[in-house]
Structures are given as C-alpha cells and as structure tokens.
C-alpha cells in the first residue's frame, strides 16, 4: 500500500514580525554581517522565527518538518555564500524571477563549513524523528556560483559535490533529505555533463542514510538528463506538475520512475490557495497515467520554495498539503 507523505521544499518566508525586526537589526550591524558575525540579537530573532515556522508545520499536520532555511538570504546559494573560501560579489538575478542573491565566487578549496549542520542541530531540540533536511543539489549550487579556483567545470562540480557530502555527514539524524535541483531544468547540462551531474548527486546521496529526494522544478527535465538522474542512488525523483504536466508525465511514461516519487502539486509562488480535495485529485491524475503499478511512497509538496509567498498564504498552503495527504491515505485504505 502506498504511503502518502506531506512535506515541503523548505526555504520558507520569514514571519512578518521577523522580517521587520531583522531588517532593522541588519541595517545597524551591516559591518558585522559582511565579516560573517550575525550578532546576538540577530541570532535570537532567527531562533524565535525557527521555532515559529516549526510550530506552523506541526499545527498544519505535515509528516516531515524542515528547519525553514530562514537565514538563507542568498537562497540556494547560501551554503557557499557563507563559506570562508568564497567571496560574495554583486547581486545576481535568481533564475528568471524578481529575487536576487549575492554571487558566490569560489577562490580556494571548499573544505568543511558546518553552517547548515548547526542549523539542524538547533532544530533537533524542537523536532523528533520526522526531521527533513534541505540542501541545494550539487549541479544547481555549482551553476549558481562562479569558479575562480578549480579551473575546470567537471572538477568544480565534483568539488561542490564533495563539499555538500562533507556537510551532510555532519548532519544530525534526519528522516528525509530534499536536494533542490532547479538548474537541471533551467540550465540543463549538455552531453557528458548530464552524466556527471547524476554522479555528483549520487555522491551527495551516499553521504546520508536518510531517504533522498531530488526535486527539480520550474518545468520538466530533458529526456537524457532525466534518464541519467534515474541512475543515481536516490529514493525519489520530484516533478513540478504545476509548471509542466505533460513533459513530466512523458518522462515517467517513457523512462519509468523511482520506487518513491515527489509530486509538486501546490504552487509555491502563487497566492491562490488550492483546495485539498483538488490536490488529492491531482495525485490520482498522475498515478492513473503512469506505468508504475504502485509507488511505495508519494511525497506531496510545493513545486518550488515558498519564500515567494506572503506569510499567511504560506501557512494556508502547508495545511492544504497535510489535508491532501490525509485524504489520499483515507481513499487508499
């Protein structure tokens, strides 16, 4: 029998009060932030905000709880932007939308940082055995960065994968890991590099005992990229069925899928709040059209990060995901 798991891709919007407070605090401590020292008041504000978003996930009834990645001002580039071997340069557009991040320029070896692990360690005080970790996938992180040290695209991708694997090995116990890989869609790797990207994902996935979900979004993977991704030692591939239904469905019908699957069925960018019954129906629409007789696990999630949303809308969408998964479980029973 299929298990239905409600979860998110992380990178939540800040609570409204935290957005205002942190804006003021960061304005007063600009020099400290440049040097990497956030200061006690900023740290305390993030800790309070983390507790709030975890409470929101609990109240919504999600099956997996994430830390929220509230400190990730540079979004998926964050793990490099805070690294000692990286210089942050000018503001760069984040894919094709109105969000921006500081360009991370790698100038030395990417050794261990521990930044994300420390966030998760703090989260374990609030979360039991349903913790979900979130990281950028190695291909997306490499594509968002500029290499001024390794000098070769393939070598740089491998270095980023090794860096993420090293960070992951320091994580506290977690049930699931989501690797977010929008660049596999937006900046698809060409011949040869598509296989290397799969190998890099495999390297990261093997650094954890948790279930690993690779979630591309903002469209569908090219056929060869998808086929190579299935070669990686991962538990689930994610699909953005909000941005592109037909091409994602074609990939599954043509090439098959992993035993588990992650369905991006709730729009992480739109303020329109979906109906839980409609989301459940979308699950049926997918499963009725794929050649897999039964997935072991179906993750129901947003198709993208939710930091685009007003905080109140983000809260509503979490409840929709939890309700849709519960409805799917009841129907399956």
């Amino acid at each position: 029998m299929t298990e239905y798991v409600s979860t998110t891709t992380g990178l939540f919007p800040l609570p409204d009060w935290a957005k205002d407070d942190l804006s003021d605090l960061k304005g007063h401590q600009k020099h400290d932030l440049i040097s990497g020292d956030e200061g006690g008041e900023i740290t305390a504000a993030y800790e309070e905000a983390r507790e709030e978003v975890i409470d929101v996930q609990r109240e919504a009834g999600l099956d997996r709880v994430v830390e929220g990645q509230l400190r990730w001002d540079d979004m998926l580039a964050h793990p490099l932007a805070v690294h000692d071997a990286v210089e942050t340069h000018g503001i760069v557009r984040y894919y094709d939308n109105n969000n921006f991040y500081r360009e991370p320029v790698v100038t030395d070896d990417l050794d261990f940082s521990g930044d994300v692990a420390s966030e998760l360690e703090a989260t374990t005080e609030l979360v039991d055995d349903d913790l979900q970790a979130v990281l950028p996938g190695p291909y997306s992180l490499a594509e968002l960065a500029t290499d001024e040290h390794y000098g070769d695209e393939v070598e740089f991708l491998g270095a980023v994968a090794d860096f993420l694997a090293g960070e992951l090995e320091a994580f506290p116990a977690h049930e699931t890991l989501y690797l977010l890989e929008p660049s596999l869609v937006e900046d698809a790797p060409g011949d040869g590099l598509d296989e290397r990207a799969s190998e890099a994902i495999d390297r990261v996935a093997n650094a954890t005992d948790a279930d690993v979900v690779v979630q591309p979004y903002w469209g569908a993977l090219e056929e060869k990229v998808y086929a190579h991704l299935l070669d990686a030692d991962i538990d689930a591939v994610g699909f953005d069925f909000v941005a592109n239904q037909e091409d994602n469905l074609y990939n599954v019908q043509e090439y098959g899928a992993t035993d588990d699957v992650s369905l991006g069925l709730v729009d992480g960018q739109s303020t329109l709040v979906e109906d839980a019954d409609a989301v459940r129906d979308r699950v049926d629409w997918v499963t009725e059209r794929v050649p897999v007789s039964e997935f072991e696990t179906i993750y129901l999630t947003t198709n993208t990060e939710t930091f685009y949303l007003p905080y109140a809308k983000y809260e509503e969408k979490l409840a929709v995901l939890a309700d849709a998964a519960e409805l799917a479980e009841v129907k399956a029973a």
Side-chain angles (χ1 to χ4, degrees):
M1 180 175 170
T2 300
E3 178 185 10
Y4 295 88
V5 175
S6 56
T7 187
T8 68
T9 55
L11 280 97
F12 292 159
L14 280 163
D16 293 333
W17 66 264
K19 192 178 300 182
D20 294 337
D21 288 0
L22 285 164
S23 178
D24 292 340
L25 289 169
K26 289 180 178 181
H28 294 145
Q29 298 186 29
K30 185 174 182 180
H31 175 74
D32 290 339
L33 291 172
I34 293 173
S35 66
D37 182 5
E38 290 181 336
E41 288 182 295
I42 290 176
T43 299
Y46 275 123
E47 288 175 350
E48 184 177 351
R50 179 193 295 123
E51 292 181 16
E52 180 170 330
V53 298
I54 289 173
D55 286 343
V56 168
Q57 292 173 84
R58 285 270 183 253
E59 290 168 6
L62 289 177
D63 297 307
R64 297 287 185 272
V65 175
V66 301
E67 186 269 340
Q69 296 72 49
L70 302 177
R71 289 177 55 242
W72 293 26
D73 291 341
D74 299 290
M75 291 160 284
L76 292 183
H78 171 85
L80 288 185
V82 298
H83 196 286
D84 289 341
V86 176
E87 298 175 357
T88 51
H89 288 192
I91 301 298
V92 182
R93 186 179 294 274
Y94 185 64
Y95 297 100
D96 188 22
N97 58 42
N98 291 322
N99 292 278
F100 299 86
Y101 69 102
R102 297 173 300 165
E103 178 190 13
V105 179
V106 178
T107 59
D108 206 342
D109 289 346
L110 290 173
D111 55 8
F112 179 72
S113 165
D115 179 84
V116 180
S118 66
E119 293 177 338
L120 290 176
E121 285 290 353
T123 306
T124 59
E125 300 176 8
L126 307 168
V127 176
D128 297 322
D129 58 356
D130 53 357
L131 176 64
Q132 175 177 300
V134 175
L135 278 175
Y139 180 74
S140 292
L141 188 56
E143 288 295 298
L144 291 170
T146 297
D147 170 34
E148 291 187 356
H149 176 65
Y150 292 93
D152 177 81
E153 184 177 34
V154 172
E155 184 178 353
F156 182 54
L157 176 59
V160 171
D162 287 343
F163 160 67
L164 288 173
E167 299 300 293
L168 184 51
E169 287 168 355
F171 283 11
H174 48 285
E175 186 74 15
T176 313
L177 168 69
Y178 260 63
L179 291 176
L180 307 184
E181 280 283 18
S183 286
L184 286 177
V185 173
E186 290 288 310
D187 301 300
D191 287 345
L193 192 59
D194 49 7
E195 185 175 1
R196 297 291 189 180
S198 176
E199 292 171 355
I201 290 168
D202 188 82
R203 168 74 179 93
V204 178
N206 278 295
T208 178
D209 293 329
D211 293 331
V212 178
V213 182
V214 176
Q215 187 82 23
Y217 44 94
W218 288 319
L221 296 175
E222 294 181 0
E223 291 180 56
K224 283 190 63 180
V225 175
Y226 179 72
H228 280 301
L229 181 57
L230 292 179
D231 291 333
D233 186 15
I234 58 177
D235 296 278
V237 173
F239 300 90
D240 181 351
F241 277 104
V242 174
N244 189 323
Q245 294 181 354
E246 296 304 323
D247 290 341
N248 276 311
L249 184 62
Y250 171 81
N251 281 339
V252 180
Q253 291 174 333
E254 186 70 16
Y255 299 100
T258 43
D259 292 336
D260 303 338
V261 66
S262 175
L263 304 181
L265 297 171
V266 170
D267 196 330
Q269 297 177 261
S270 171
T271 57
L272 178 65
V273 178
E274 294 85 350
D275 178 78
D277 285 298
V279 174
R280 195 279 315 275
D281 289 344
R282 293 173 194 174
V283 175
D284 293 342
W285 184 90
V286 175
T287 55
E288 289 167 0
R289 287 165 173 79
V290 301
V292 180
S293 59
E294 185 174 78
F295 290 110
E296 293 180 7
T297 302
I298 294 179
Y299 296 91
L300 274 64
T301 186
T302 51
N303 69 317
T304 69
E305 311 104 316
T306 54
F307 63 74
Y308 311 96
L309 296 174
Y311 192 74
K313 296 294 184 180
Y314 139 81
E315 292 180 291
E316 292 181 57
K317 297 221 175 197
L318 298 195
V320 167
L321 285 167
D323 290 347
E326 185 174 351
L327 288 169
E329 287 278 8
V330 170
K331 182 177 181 180

